Amino acid sequence: MGKRHGSALMRAYLVLLFSFFYLPIVVLMVYSFNESKSRSNFTGFTLKWYESLFNNDMILSALGLSLALALISAVIATVVGTMAAIGISGMGRKSRLIINNVSYIPVVNPEIITGVSLMLLFVAWSGAAAWWNQNAPAFLRFFPEDVIGFPSLLIAHISFCLPYVIFNVAPKLRQMDVRLYEAALDLGCNHRQAFFKVVLPELAPAIFSAFLISLTYSIDDFIISYFTCGTLQTLPIAIYSMTRKKVSPEINALSTIMFLVILAIILISNLADSRRARYKAAKKEEV
């Protein structure tokens, strides 16, 4: 009897928890098909907000900037972060502890402090570059002065994505059996071949997961982007500027599309991981 009640309470708790997480998204998706702009009454089914979305240059421009920025910053952060994780794993215990603690700072640091500090850094760079280009010999005047805009956004997004990549790849490196790498060297591989044929395939799930996290955080970021964007508008900044008046139902349509795309990516990723696990298990049984 007690077990039955406990099981029922657990199911009720899970239903409440997932309802809390996903019910707002369901409401948003439903109202993306609402014929009127009302956020309280559903007056009829329509696709006009989706049609209007693809004719809204401001939203599409902000979306294009966010996607390009997220893709470029996620790729760079994933490559650099993976190399950093491999380098950190080869350090001594004390050095590794220090670097890991320093790498945690951007994660725990309030975003508004990170955003303001990066903005001041880019302003200081612009001033220093302008002074250098005015006073240095002509052949040394190569420092860019106007970095506030896409360059500052890109550097900012790479900087806050890097720790997440490092802390996602590092545990996989610790789990990996170093003897696999040594066996590859014994069997005739050079260091480069052993890395790409043995180490990289083992790290691939963690690297892909780190890439998705970086991509998501970059698309979602508002505070750091707000301080480093200059005159550009990413999608979160564009949505914020719209809330001063009223959020257009086109945003509901865009959010629905983005949610479904991200959900599809997650499902495909999980399906690929499960197939990979089954394949490895089958290989072990054959051996």
Short mmCIF file of all heavy atoms in Angstrom, two decimals, residues 162-194:
data_model
loop_
_atom_site.label_atom_id
_atom_site.label_comp_id
_atom_site.label_asym_id
_atom_site.label_seq_id
_atom_site.Cartn_x
_atom_site.Cartn_y
_atom_site.Cartn_z
N LEU A 162 33.33 29.14 -23.92
CA LEU A 162 34.52 28.31 -23.72
C LEU A 162 34.46 27.45 -22.45
O LEU A 162 34.75 26.24 -22.51
CB LEU A 162 35.78 29.18 -23.70
CG LEU A 162 36.48 29.39 -25.04
CD1 LEU A 162 37.62 30.40 -24.90
CD2 LEU A 162 37.02 28.07 -25.57
N PRO A 163 34.13 28.03 -21.28
CA PRO A 163 34.11 27.19 -20.07
C PRO A 163 33.15 26.00 -20.17
O PRO A 163 33.45 24.91 -19.67
CB PRO A 163 33.67 28.17 -18.97
CG PRO A 163 34.00 29.52 -19.49
CD PRO A 163 33.82 29.44 -20.97
N TYR A 164 32.01 26.20 -20.82
CA TYR A 164 31.05 25.11 -20.93
C TYR A 164 31.60 23.98 -21.80
O TYR A 164 31.32 22.80 -21.53
CB TYR A 164 29.73 25.63 -21.51
CG TYR A 164 29.04 26.62 -20.60
CD1 TYR A 164 29.09 27.99 -20.87
CD2 TYR A 164 28.35 26.20 -19.48
CE1 TYR A 164 28.47 28.91 -20.03
CE2 TYR A 164 27.72 27.11 -18.64
CZ TYR A 164 27.79 28.46 -18.92
OH TYR A 164 27.18 29.36 -18.09
N VAL A 165 32.38 24.33 -22.80
CA VAL A 165 33.00 23.30 -23.64
C VAL A 165 34.05 22.54 -22.84
O VAL A 165 34.10 21.30 -22.86
CB VAL A 165 33.64 23.93 -24.89
CG1 VAL A 165 34.35 22.86 -25.73
CG2 VAL A 165 32.59 24.64 -25.74
N ILE A 166 34.87 23.29 -22.11
CA ILE A 166 35.94 22.65 -21.32
C ILE A 166 35.35 21.69 -20.30
O ILE A 166 35.80 20.54 -20.18
CB ILE A 166 36.80 23.73 -20.62
CG1 ILE A 166 37.59 24.54 -21.65
CG2 ILE A 166 37.77 23.09 -19.62
CD1 ILE A 166 38.29 25.76 -21.09
N PHE A 167 34.32 22.13 -19.58
CA PHE A 167 33.76 21.29 -18.52
C PHE A 167 32.86 20.19 -19.06
O PHE A 167 32.45 19.30 -18.32
CB PHE A 167 32.99 22.16 -17.52
CG PHE A 167 33.87 23.13 -16.79
CD1 PHE A 167 33.55 24.47 -16.72
CD2 PHE A 167 35.04 22.69 -16.19
CE1 PHE A 167 34.38 25.36 -16.06
CE2 PHE A 167 35.88 23.57 -15.52
CZ PHE A 167 35.55 24.91 -15.45
N ASN A 168 32.56 20.22 -20.34
CA ASN A 168 31.80 19.13 -20.95
C ASN A 168 32.72 18.06 -21.53
O ASN A 168 32.39 16.87 -21.51
CB ASN A 168 30.90 19.70 -22.06
CG ASN A 168 29.59 18.95 -22.18
OD1 ASN A 168 28.82 18.91 -21.24
ND2 ASN A 168 29.35 18.36 -23.33
N VAL A 169 33.87 18.49 -22.04
CA VAL A 169 34.81 17.55 -22.67
C VAL A 169 35.74 16.92 -21.63
O VAL A 169 36.11 15.75 -21.75
CB VAL A 169 35.62 18.27 -23.77
CG1 VAL A 169 36.67 17.34 -24.37
CG2 VAL A 169 34.68 18.77 -24.87
N ALA A 170 36.14 17.69 -20.61
CA ALA A 170 37.11 17.20 -19.62
C ALA A 170 36.67 15.90 -18.92
O ALA A 170 37.49 14.99 -18.78
CB ALA A 170 37.41 18.29 -18.60
N PRO A 171 35.41 15.77 -18.47
CA PRO A 171 35.03 14.49 -17.83
C PRO A 171 35.15 13.28 -18.76
O PRO A 171 35.52 12.19 -18.32
CB PRO A 171 33.56 14.72 -17.44
CG PRO A 171 33.42 16.20 -17.33
CD PRO A 171 34.33 16.76 -18.38
N LYS A 172 34.86 13.48 -20.04
CA LYS A 172 35.00 12.38 -21.00
C LYS A 172 36.46 11.98 -21.16
O LYS A 172 36.77 10.80 -21.32
CB LYS A 172 34.41 12.81 -22.35
CG LYS A 172 34.29 11.69 -23.37
CD LYS A 172 33.28 10.65 -22.93
CE LYS A 172 33.11 9.56 -23.98
NZ LYS A 172 32.16 8.52 -23.53
N LEU A 173 37.34 12.97 -21.09
CA LEU A 173 38.78 12.67 -21.17
C LEU A 173 39.23 11.86 -19.96
O LEU A 173 40.04 10.94 -20.09
CB LEU A 173 39.58 13.97 -21.23
CG LEU A 173 39.80 14.59 -22.62
CD1 LEU A 173 40.32 16.01 -22.49
CD2 LEU A 173 40.75 13.74 -23.45
N ARG A 174 38.68 12.19 -18.78
CA ARG A 174 39.05 11.45 -17.57
C ARG A 174 38.53 10.02 -17.62
O ARG A 174 39.14 9.11 -17.05
CB ARG A 174 38.52 12.17 -16.32
CG ARG A 174 39.26 13.46 -16.00
CD ARG A 174 38.94 13.95 -14.60
NE ARG A 174 37.55 14.36 -14.47
CZ ARG A 174 37.13 15.60 -14.68
NH1 ARG A 174 38.00 16.54 -15.05
NH2 ARG A 174 35.86 15.92 -14.54
N GLN A 175 37.39 9.81 -18.27
CA GLN A 175 36.81 8.47 -18.37
C GLN A 175 37.54 7.60 -19.39
O GLN A 175 37.51 6.37 -19.29
CB GLN A 175 35.34 8.57 -18.76
CG GLN A 175 34.44 9.18 -17.70
CD GLN A 175 33.04 9.42 -18.21
OE1 GLN A 175 32.68 9.01 -19.32
NE2 GLN A 175 32.22 10.10 -17.43
N MET A 176 38.16 8.23 -20.36
CA MET A 176 38.78 7.49 -21.46
C MET A 176 40.00 6.72 -20.98
O MET A 176 40.80 7.23 -20.19
CB MET A 176 39.19 8.46 -22.57
CG MET A 176 39.48 7.76 -23.89
SD MET A 176 39.98 8.93 -25.17
CE MET A 176 41.63 9.31 -24.64
N ASP A 177 40.13 5.52 -21.46
CA ASP A 177 41.28 4.67 -21.11
C ASP A 177 42.49 5.12 -21.93
O ASP A 177 42.49 5.02 -23.16
CB ASP A 177 40.95 3.21 -21.40
CG ASP A 177 42.00 2.26 -20.84
OD1 ASP A 177 43.05 2.74 -20.38
OD2 ASP A 177 41.75 1.03 -20.86
N VAL A 178 43.51 5.64 -21.24
CA VAL A 178 44.69 6.15 -21.94
C VAL A 178 45.43 5.04 -22.69
O VAL A 178 46.19 5.29 -23.64
CB VAL A 178 45.62 6.86 -20.94
CG1 VAL A 178 46.27 5.85 -20.00
CG2 VAL A 178 46.68 7.70 -21.65
N ARG A 179 45.18 3.80 -22.29
CA ARG A 179 45.87 2.68 -22.95
C ARG A 179 45.43 2.50 -24.39
O ARG A 179 46.15 1.91 -25.20
CB ARG A 179 45.62 1.39 -22.15
CG ARG A 179 46.35 1.35 -20.80
CD ARG A 179 45.96 0.16 -19.98
NE ARG A 179 44.55 0.17 -19.61
CZ ARG A 179 43.98 -0.73 -18.83
NH1 ARG A 179 44.69 -1.73 -18.34
NH2 ARG A 179 42.68 -0.66 -18.54
N LEU A 180 44.21 2.99 -24.74
CA LEU A 180 43.78 2.94 -26.14
C LEU A 180 44.70 3.78 -27.02
O LEU A 180 45.08 3.36 -28.11
CB LEU A 180 42.34 3.46 -26.25
CG LEU A 180 41.24 2.61 -25.61
CD1 LEU A 180 39.91 3.34 -25.66
CD2 LEU A 180 41.14 1.27 -26.33
N TYR A 181 45.04 4.97 -26.52
CA TYR A 181 45.94 5.85 -27.27
C TYR A 181 47.33 5.23 -27.38
O TYR A 181 47.96 5.22 -28.45
CB TYR A 181 46.01 7.21 -26.56
CG TYR A 181 46.95 8.20 -27.20
CD1 TYR A 181 46.60 8.87 -28.38
CD2 TYR A 181 48.18 8.49 -26.62
CE1 TYR A 181 47.47 9.78 -28.96
CE2 TYR A 181 49.05 9.40 -27.20
CZ TYR A 181 48.69 10.05 -28.36
OH TYR A 181 49.55 10.95 -28.94
N GLU A 182 47.80 4.67 -26.28
CA GLU A 182 49.13 4.04 -26.28
C GLU A 182 49.15 2.81 -27.19
O GLU A 182 50.15 2.55 -27.87
CB GLU A 182 49.50 3.64 -24.84
CG GLU A 182 49.70 4.85 -23.93
CD GLU A 182 49.84 4.45 -22.47
OE1 GLU A 182 49.63 3.25 -22.17
OE2 GLU A 182 50.16 5.34 -21.65
N ALA A 183 48.06 2.05 -27.21
CA ALA A 183 47.98 0.88 -28.09
C ALA A 183 48.03 1.29 -29.55
O ALA A 183 48.66 0.61 -30.38
CB ALA A 183 46.70 0.10 -27.80
N ALA A 184 47.37 2.39 -29.89
CA ALA A 184 47.40 2.88 -31.27
C ALA A 184 48.83 3.26 -31.67
O ALA A 184 49.25 2.99 -32.81
CB ALA A 184 46.48 4.08 -31.41
N LEU A 185 49.56 3.87 -30.76
CA LEU A 185 50.97 4.21 -31.05
C LEU A 185 51.80 2.94 -31.22
O LEU A 185 52.67 2.88 -32.11
CB LEU A 185 51.55 5.07 -29.92
CG LEU A 185 50.92 6.46 -29.71
CD1 LEU A 185 51.55 7.15 -28.51
CD2 LEU A 185 51.10 7.32 -30.96
N ASP A 186 51.55 1.94 -30.38
CA ASP A 186 52.30 0.67 -30.48
C ASP A 186 52.02 -0.05 -31.79
O ASP A 186 52.87 -0.79 -32.31
CB ASP A 186 51.95 -0.24 -29.31
CG ASP A 186 52.48 0.30 -27.98
OD1 ASP A 186 53.41 1.14 -28.02
OD2 ASP A 186 51.94 -0.09 -26.93
N LEU A 187 50.79 0.16 -32.33
CA LEU A 187 50.39 -0.52 -33.56
C LEU A 187 50.83 0.22 -34.82
O LEU A 187 50.45 -0.17 -35.93
CB LEU A 187 48.88 -0.74 -33.58
CG LEU A 187 48.35 -1.76 -32.55
CD1 LEU A 187 46.84 -1.73 -32.49
CD2 LEU A 187 48.86 -3.16 -32.90
N GLY A 188 51.59 1.30 -34.66
CA GLY A 188 52.16 1.97 -35.82
C GLY A 188 51.62 3.34 -36.14
O GLY A 188 52.09 3.99 -37.09
N CYS A 189 50.62 3.81 -35.40
CA CYS A 189 50.09 5.16 -35.65
C CYS A 189 51.06 6.20 -35.12
O CYS A 189 51.72 5.99 -34.08
CB CYS A 189 48.74 5.35 -34.94
SG CYS A 189 47.38 4.44 -35.69
N ASN A 190 51.14 7.33 -35.83
CA ASN A 190 51.86 8.45 -35.22
C ASN A 190 50.89 9.19 -34.30
O ASN A 190 49.72 8.83 -34.18
CB ASN A 190 52.44 9.38 -36.29
CG ASN A 190 51.38 9.90 -37.26
OD1 ASN A 190 50.25 10.16 -36.87
ND2 ASN A 190 51.74 10.01 -38.54
N HIS A 191 51.38 10.25 -33.63
CA HIS A 191 50.54 10.94 -32.63
C HIS A 191 49.29 11.55 -33.28
O HIS A 191 48.20 11.53 -32.69
CB HIS A 191 51.36 12.02 -31.92
CG HIS A 191 52.42 11.46 -31.04
ND1 HIS A 191 52.15 10.91 -29.80
CD2 HIS A 191 53.77 11.34 -31.22
CE1 HIS A 191 53.27 10.49 -29.24
NE2 HIS A 191 54.27 10.73 -30.08
N ARG A 192 49.45 12.09 -34.46
CA ARG A 192 48.32 12.72 -35.15
C ARG A 192 47.26 11.68 -35.52
O ARG A 192 46.06 11.87 -35.31
CB ARG A 192 48.82 13.44 -36.40
CG ARG A 192 47.73 14.08 -37.24
CD ARG A 192 48.35 14.89 -38.38
NE ARG A 192 47.35 15.25 -39.37
CZ ARG A 192 46.96 14.49 -40.37
NH1 ARG A 192 47.49 13.27 -40.50
NH2 ARG A 192 46.05 14.90 -41.24
N GLN A 193 47.70 10.54 -36.09
CA GLN A 193 46.77 9.48 -36.47
C GLN A 193 46.07 8.90 -35.24
O GLN A 193 44.86 8.63 -35.27
CB GLN A 193 47.52 8.38 -37.22
CG GLN A 193 48.00 8.80 -38.60
CD GLN A 193 48.90 7.74 -39.23
OE1 GLN A 193 49.64 7.05 -38.52
NE2 GLN A 193 48.84 7.62 -40.55
N ALA A 194 46.82 8.71 -34.15
CA ALA A 194 46.23 8.15 -32.93
C ALA A 194 45.17 9.09 -32.36
O ALA A 194 44.13 8.64 -31.87
CB ALA A 194 47.33 7.91 -31.89
#
